[in-house]
Amino acid sequence: MSPQKFPEKYHLALEQAAKEKPQSGLNGFEQEWNLLDEELRPLLTVGAGPSQQSFVDYLRAECIAPWQAQFSQLEVFHWMIEWATRPYYSPRGTIYEARLMEASLINSLHRAGSNFGERLHYWHGNLLFLTDISHDSLPGNWSIAKRRYLEKCVDLYGDTLATAGIHSNLSLPDPLFAWDFMHLSASERGDTHLDEFKSEFYITATRLLRAFASLFIATAASTPMQAQVKDGRAVVVLTEHDSIRNLTFPNPRELDLPDLYRSYSDYLQNSYDLVRRGVRFGNNNWTPVRARSFAEPVERLISTTSDELTHLYTRGLFAVGQATPPEEMALQIEKQNLMARINLPMGRVEVRVDDGGHSLDIDIANLTLKHLLLLRIYSDPQFARSFRYDREDIVRARNNENLAAKFSLRAEIENPLTAKPTSMRDFLKWTLSEVKPLAEALNMWKDLTPLVEMSEGGRNTAEKFRARLQGELGDGNEVPLDILKEIHFEREAQVKSDVERIASEYGLLGEESGKIAEFLQRGRDAARHAERQTTPILFRPRPQAVVEISYPDKTSEILDLAQQLIRIPSVTACPDERYDEVHRAGSLIDDYLRNAGLDVKFFDGKYPAVYATFPGASKENPILLTGHFDVVEPEPDDSQFIPRIEGDYLHGRGAADMKTVVATYLVWMKDMWKVEASLRPNIALLLIGNEENGEAEAWGTPHVLKELNLTPSLFIAGERTGEKGNELFGEICVENRGVMRFDVIAHGAKGHSGVAGTGDLSEKLIAARSALNEIFAKHLTLKSPDGWQSQAKFPFINVGTPGVYNVTAAEGILGVEIRPIPQDDVEGLRLKVEGYCAENGLEAKFSVMENGVACDPNNPALKALIEAVKQASGGQEARIGKKLPGTSARFAPGGQAVVWGQSGVGPHAKNEAHFIPSIEPYYRSLNELSKLWK
């Protein structure tokens, strides 16, 4: 295939991969950091005696929010931590999440520091304080085999291990491999399997990317400072070298073998030999670039096995002399696992040479270059193939890498492909020219701008550090503690600014923006629940700085937002309510409205709520648009939270009830704020997170209305009122049934079922059910010719324990739910129920008690709404109706509420879907209403 055609094929493969595996990706980023105290010394342990633990264990357990903690892990020593992004299909998305993780670390260290009464810090690269390294530097809860592996590393490499770097993971879309593999000729394909085809490429890519490792070091160098001892004093020195981290971290020659990645067969043969000889004894294959599989990490397998061994030995299940000692057995397990894992399908290339601490744009540029080089290697069978990974190439590569670590972009090296002398900047310029056509075709060239500037003489991060410090130090080279702290504070300020930028523009990522949105929402929740006023990073954009995405029409914009909401499983009204997801949905809504510039009040609690108004609008008697962002449990499983569009319908849990209408409200409020102030209506918005379970707890509708002391002119509940599922305009339901829920409880005493007199609570409750039906028939309108009638149901009866037959129950419960029309007397009904229960030794426990509502037909706001729908429909009279299912309208003060929504089918069912054509007429109706209610 011609180079001009490859970008098109790659785009198609990318689209297919994203469709098949939306949570997967091509790029990942692993970031390591050192955790430091107020004096920039490494944090070791907290607590004393039996409760002593590594600081990093404490941080992860107590200070990092649970959802964020899953992306962090231990990294060798007490003071080190690693965070790994999820895979992304774009380098930009990967770096965005990486920066959000750094922000999460900042907040977590702030929380830990508040607990200990001191300011804590973090730093990339090498430690800035000389530290004794020993076996005691390792966290104490490692498994036998993992600890033994780390102790051996400490014995061999000592304090050179105490560096924190960046690992970039690179891969290509699986459909690209599959298509090309299946189009090989029979002779080319032979007996090769697709996995072997992929493995061969990743080994080749590892080989060829090694040629560029010195370039990666040069563009990512950022560690020119080094801890030293001068005249018995511990000092930090600004050196003449740019990547002290790369000069420090071990890269043993005995592991960096010529021919190791020359071919897949060479890789297998050399790797087996390294393990057999004990040179490779764990995850210590620390070449600058290495091929990786997606299998479970070696140390995790070893950990599981050694845990099992410990359990067996401590229980004495092997006689003395029969079992190999645990330490020796752990060594054997480790070796066997390593041998078994060598011949696994390769799935990625890992580049391990980058320093951290860069600007957002430099990080994006560095990862983008690696990504483009991988694509160039795949698409062009001639590119860089002169690098054979033989002895001469490896000697040259190691020398280039050493020079790059010392002098970065100022280095004079041997061209790894021609062996001719060249400058690093010229090599960078050549490399950029080689990927430029591909970068332009994939719309990535602008992302390489920082590297283009470096190739033309611009400074990398290390050179910027040096220039800044030399300006303050003059002729000296010792960096005082106060300047070091200032650099740390500046980094935190930069990360905060980066997060604001990401929160403003992440929507431009397209399909993958949902991942970043999720991190922002959860980061906001974690910040909100911590020390609210002092949390350094709030995961918010700068006010009104959000980059708006262009949509072909208003329906497309609303659908995009509705799908974002549907993807959040904000489930209530079940035993396993997902509180964190309900908060995440609330955070998305809060974000959206704040970013649009509206006045927003977030009601935080078990069930959040969001109230929004137009800045400067009248606070008196607004029309209140209302809705909810919680949903019932999915059916059959969480796949219902993956929205899909089929024809005229948006499918997914919450599509019809009622996240599409919520999205419509949000977009409309955002758009209305942009119009001239005199044209804005007196309309407010209230969205709550516990409608499905009855709103009895804060912050349900009645709680918010009371807190705000708010009496709306008209309360509009945006629930579905196009009941057939194909109406363009839903009815305006001026009457709505209420909700009444109570338990009838029968009390007894536990006893043997064979002993007379223990009683049967089920009989009492069944009799109560019959008696209550008679009471309901007298006090409720249970039948009506027009169908406007109350409803009484007995959703459950619970007596005893399933499977236990010989013990009578101490308590039985009969659940009752009534949906009364406003014409029925529910207070009188309640008195009758309580009277019956008292007479028959039962207890009535009421949890929800709300009457139905009927809006005054002369309400001016109602008349305005009816006229607005008429105008939006081209002069057709609005359809007036009554809503049978209970809604939040029952909480409207004075009953001045309507239910008016869009069309859909299957709320609470597995076939739930929203009728897309009903979105735009509803939006137009809101526009007409805005003209009539100032």
Side-chain angles (χ1 to χ4, degrees):
M1 175 177 288
S2 68
Q4 292 76 20
K5 285 285 187 181
F6 177 77
E8 181 180 357
K9 182 171 72 170
Y10 172 73
H11 265 307
L12 290 173
L14 199 62
E15 289 174 5
Q16 185 64 27
K19 182 179 178 181
E20 292 174 357
K21 298 177 180 178
Q23 297 304 311
S24 188
L26 307 180
N27 302 281
F29 212 62
E30 299 170 20
Q31 308 170 96
E32 299 168 356
W33 285 296
N34 297 306
L35 308 175
L36 311 175
D37 68 11
E38 197 161 26
E39 302 302 312
L40 305 185
R41 296 169 300 194
L43 289 157
L44 303 178
T45 60
V46 297
S51 63
Q52 187 181 72
Q53 60 179 326
S54 292
F55 176 79
V56 67
D57 286 328
Y58 165 80
L59 185 76
R60 296 181 70 237
E62 302 295 334
C63 301
I64 302 177
W67 185 84
Q68 296 168 341
Q70 66 179 311
F71 303 114
S72 71
Q73 62 187 38
L74 304 181
E75 180 54 43
V76 187
F77 298 121
H78 295 307
W79 60 85
M80 295 179 72
I81 192 169
E82 177 181 291
W83 291 65
T85 69
R86 292 168 291 184
Y88 279 78
Y89 285 104
S90 70
R92 181 175 289 272
T94 306
I95 298 302
Y96 279 2
E97 182 166 286
R99 192 63 95 247
L100 296 181
M101 289 179 173
E102 188 171 350
S104 300
L105 177 63
I106 289 172
N107 282 355
S108 302
L109 285 171
H110 172 82
R111 183 177 178 185
S114 297
N115 294 341
F116 292 115
E118 66 174 295
R119 185 72 155 79
L120 302 183
H121 303 276
Y122 71 101
W123 193 243
H124 63 275
N126 45 295
L127 287 172
L128 300 180
F129 188 91
L130 290 172
T131 303
D132 290 331
I133 303 296
S134 69
H135 293 182
D136 292 336
S137 305
L138 304 172
N141 59 351
W142 289 117
S143 64
I144 293 174
K146 178 66 175 182
R147 185 174 183 83
R148 185 203 153 277
Y149 159 68
L150 292 173
E151 287 176 349
K152 186 171 182 179
C153 289
V154 168
D155 292 339
L156 287 172
Y157 307 115
D159 58 5
T160 64
L161 292 173
T163 63
I166 302 290
H167 302 163
S168 304
N169 288 284
L170 315 167
S171 61
L172 295 181
D174 281 343
L176 187 64
F177 288 113
W179 299 342
D180 287 342
F181 178 71
M182 294 312 298
H183 284 84
L184 293 174
S185 66
S187 61
E188 290 175 308
R189 195 162 60 238
D191 295 329
T192 304
H193 187 271
L194 176 60
D195 282 343
E196 295 176 83
F197 178 74
K198 289 167 60 177
S199 293
E200 194 67 63
F201 167 72
Y202 284 121
I203 294 295
T204 299
T206 301
R207 165 168 64 97
L208 301 183
L209 285 174
R210 178 63 185 274
F212 298 90
S214 61
L215 183 60
F216 302 152
I217 292 171
T219 61
S222 68
T223 53
M225 294 182 288
Q226 186 177 39
Q228 295 181 8
V229 175
K230 279 189 177 181
D231 302 324
R233 297 179 297 113
V235 297
V236 175
V237 171
L238 176 63
T239 73
E240 62 179 5
H241 297 151
D242 287 359
S243 181
I244 297 298
R245 187 197 71 83
N246 268 296
L247 291 172
T248 303
F249 189 79
N251 179 15
R253 291 181 182 277
E254 59 268 24
L255 283 165
D256 196 14
L257 296 180
D259 299 327
L260 176 61
Y261 288 110
R262 185 162 185 160
S263 69
Y264 190 43
S265 61
D266 285 317
Y267 166 76
L268 294 177
Q269 180 179 338
N270 282 292
S271 296
Y272 282 131
D273 182 61
L274 286 170
V275 173
R276 289 191 189 101
R277 292 190 289 114
V279 177
R280 180 178 169 186
F281 51 85
N283 202 24
N284 67 321
N285 52 331
W286 297 323
T287 52
V289 185
R290 64 183 183 182
R292 304 295 301 273
S293 74
F294 283 116
E296 193 75 358
V298 173
E299 58 266 27
R300 212 167 293 169
L301 286 174
I302 294 170
S303 172
T304 302
T305 311
S306 46
D307 286 347
E308 293 168 358
L309 275 175
T310 303
H311 185 60
L312 289 172
Y313 290 163
T314 55
R315 289 172 64 92
L317 295 180
F318 289 92
V320 176
Q322 287 185 316
T324 305
E327 289 285 342
E328 177 59 28
M329 183 61 76
L331 174 61
Q332 293 182 25
I333 292 167
E334 179 181 323
K335 184 173 291 189
Q336 288 304 312
N337 271 302
L338 282 168
M339 297 285 281
R341 285 176 43 80
I342 287 172
N343 193 7
L344 288 175
M346 294 295 158
R348 55 191 164 122
V349 178
E350 182 184 68
V351 179
R352 302 169 45 83
V353 297
D354 288 18
D355 291 345
H358 304 287
S359 71
L360 192 64
D361 288 332
I362 288 179
D363 273 337
I364 292 170
N366 279 328
L367 186 58
T368 299
L369 178 61
K370 296 178 180 72
H371 176 69
L372 289 168
L373 282 170
L374 188 73
L375 291 176
R376 182 68 197 278
I377 288 167
Y378 185 85
S379 63
D380 184 350
Q382 303 303 316
F383 178 71
R385 262 52 178 194
S386 59
F387 191 84
R388 301 176 303 275
Y389 220 92
D390 58 17
R391 186 171 302 279
E392 183 181 344
D393 284 336
I394 293 302
V395 169
R396 182 178 299 112
R398 290 179 66 90
N399 187 50
N400 285 347
E401 289 152 13
N402 182 262
L403 290 169
K406 289 179 177 178
F407 309 115
S408 67
L409 295 169
R410 307 180 304 284
E412 296 292 327
I413 62 171
E414 289 185 13
N415 188 307
L417 306 178
T418 66
K420 295 180 179 179
T422 186
S423 71
M424 186 65 77
R425 279 194 162 89
D426 283 345
F427 185 47
L428 173 58
K429 190 173 293 186
W430 175 84
T431 303
L432 290 169
S433 70
E434 287 295 307
V435 299
K436 184 174 182 179
L438 191 56
E440 290 179 332
L442 298 177
N443 199 29
M444 290 182 174
W445 180 246
K446 286 185 178 179
D447 288 344
L448 296 175
T449 298
L451 299 185
V452 173
E453 292 172 352
M454 288 183 199
S455 74
E456 295 171 349
R459 292 168 172 164
N460 62 14
T461 302
E463 292 170 331
K464 290 176 183 177
F465 267 132
R466 182 175 290 104
R468 178 258 171 91
L469 289 171
Q470 284 176 338
E472 298 195 40
L473 302 179
D475 294 333
N477 65 356
E478 292 184 22
V479 186
L481 182 62
D482 59 340
I483 293 180
L484 289 173
K485 287 186 177 182
E486 190 176 318
I487 291 172
H488 283 74
F489 295 144
E490 289 171 0
R491 177 62 185 176
E492 292 187 11
Q494 179 61 55
V495 172
K496 181 179 180 179
S497 176
D498 290 344
V499 170
E500 290 175 344
R501 172 185 163 187
I502 292 165
S504 300
E505 65 186 31
Y506 73 89
L508 299 175
L509 289 175
E511 291 292 329
E512 289 196 301
S513 62
K515 288 183 185 177
I516 298 297
E518 179 182 21
F519 207 110
L520 286 167
Q521 291 148 18
R522 293 188 184 276
R524 177 117 63 268
D525 283 342
R528 186 184 291 120
H529 295 150
E531 297 82 6
R532 192 170 309 181
Q533 276 69 39
T534 58
T535 298
I537 300 177
L538 299 178
F539 292 88
R540 293 193 182 280
R542 289 182 291 273
Q544 300 187 49
V546 177
V547 178
E548 283 203 38
I549 301 170
S550 177
Y551 293 93
D553 51 58
K554 196 53 62 179
T555 296
S556 298
E557 181 178 358
I558 292 168
L559 274 176
D560 181 37
L561 183 54
Q563 290 177 85
Q564 292 181 47
L565 287 164
I566 290 168
R567 290 187 185 98
I568 301 176
S570 48
V571 175
T572 63
C574 67
D576 298 315
E577 294 185 323
R578 307 189 196 183
Y579 303 116
D580 59 335
E581 300 291 356
V582 177
H583 274 85
R584 184 155 72 94
S587 287
L588 186 155
I589 291 164
D590 183 43
D591 290 349
Y592 187 94
L593 294 168
R594 289 181 189 275
N595 294 346
L598 294 155
D599 283 345
V600 184
K601 183 173 179 59
F602 187 91
F603 292 85
D604 197 6
K606 180 179 177 182
Y607 303 105
V610 182
Y611 178 70
T613 58
F614 299 113
S618 170
K619 306 297 183 184
E620 299 296 321
N621 308 118
I623 288 178
L624 185 63
L625 305 175
T626 71
H628 63 93
F629 47 85
D630 62 322
V631 297
V632 298
E633 286 186 296
E635 187 181 353
D637 52 40
D638 275 11
S639 63
Q640 203 176 19
F641 293 116
I642 302 173
R644 70 183 194 282
I645 294 174
E646 294 181 359
D648 283 339
Y649 290 90
L650 169 63
H651 295 260
R653 175 58 83 230
D657 183 19
M658 57 169 287
K659 289 183 173 180
T660 309
V661 172
V662 168
T664 307
Y665 285 158
L666 295 176
V667 172
W668 183 80
M669 292 287 287
K670 179 259 298 180
D671 291 346
M672 191 53 56
W673 169 236
K674 296 177 182 176
V675 304
E676 185 181 330
S678 62
L679 300 178
R680 291 186 206 123
N682 185 18
I683 294 178
L685 174 64
L686 172 61
L687 300 172
I688 55 100
N690 63 339
E691 189 275 343
E692 296 293 0
N693 65 15
E695 306 188 54
E697 298 182 62
W699 289 99
T701 301
H703 302 271
V704 176
L705 293 178
K706 181 179 179 181
E707 178 73 15
L708 295 172
N709 192 26
L710 183 64
T711 302
S713 297
L714 182 66
F715 184 110
I716 299 176
E719 299 276 7
R720 178 185 68 113
T721 55
E723 306 286 349
K724 294 179 182 178
N726 59 3
E727 303 97 326
L728 290 177
F729 289 87
E731 292 181 329
I732 299 175
C733 296
V734 296
E735 294 186 43
N736 186 206
R737 295 195 305 194
V739 177
M740 183 178 181
R741 291 175 181 153
F742 61 94
D743 293 336
V744 176
I745 304 171
H747 297 284
K750 276 191 174 183
H752 196 288
S753 59
V755 179
T758 53
D760 189 341
L761 299 186
S762 60
E763 287 184 4
K764 294 183 72 173
L765 293 178
I766 292 170
R769 186 181 188 279
S770 298
L772 289 173
N773 270 326
E774 294 178 8
I775 294 173
F776 297 159
K778 294 177 182 178
H779 290 81
L780 297 173
T781 305
L782 297 176
K783 291 184 179 180
S784 175
D786 63 358
W788 182 239
Q789 59 198 39
S790 296
Q791 171 185 289
K793 296 284 187 182
F794 300 90
F796 60 86
I797 180 170
N798 293 331
V799 181
T801 304
V804 178
Y805 298 94
N806 62 343
V807 179
T808 58
E811 182 179 271
I813 303 175
L814 174 66
V816 185
E817 183 189 67
I818 297 171
R819 301 276 181 164
I821 61 175
Q823 292 78 13
D824 284 342
D825 178 16
V826 294
E827 286 298 333
L829 175 61
R830 175 173 180 161
L831 292 174
K832 286 292 183 181
V833 170
E834 288 176 333
Y836 168 80
C837 289
E839 291 172 5
N840 292 273
L842 301 169
E843 177 188 356
K845 187 175 182 179
F846 289 81
S847 58
V848 178
M849 186 75 183
E850 289 108 20
N851 293 338
V853 294
C855 189
D856 182 354
N858 294 315
N859 184 322
L862 172 59
K863 290 182 176 181
L865 175 61
I866 293 171
E867 180 62 24
V869 174
K870 179 179 179 179
Q871 292 298 323
S873 63
Q876 293 183 359
E877 294 293 336
R879 294 184 300 124
I880 307 300
K882 301 173 181 179
K883 181 72 172 177
L884 287 170
T887 71
S888 299
R890 66 187 185 272
F891 301 115
Q896 297 309 295
V898 299
V899 185
W900 172 60
Q902 300 172 22
S903 301
V905 295
H908 298 195
K910 64 181 178 181
N911 65 327
E912 181 174 357
H914 191 89
F915 186 53
I916 295 171
S918 68
I919 296 173
E920 195 269 341
Y922 195 85
Y923 181 90
R924 277 192 284 116
S925 299
L926 290 171
N927 281 339
E928 295 298 326
L929 180 61
S930 71
K931 300 173 185 177
L932 302 173
W933 198 258
K934 302 299 183 185

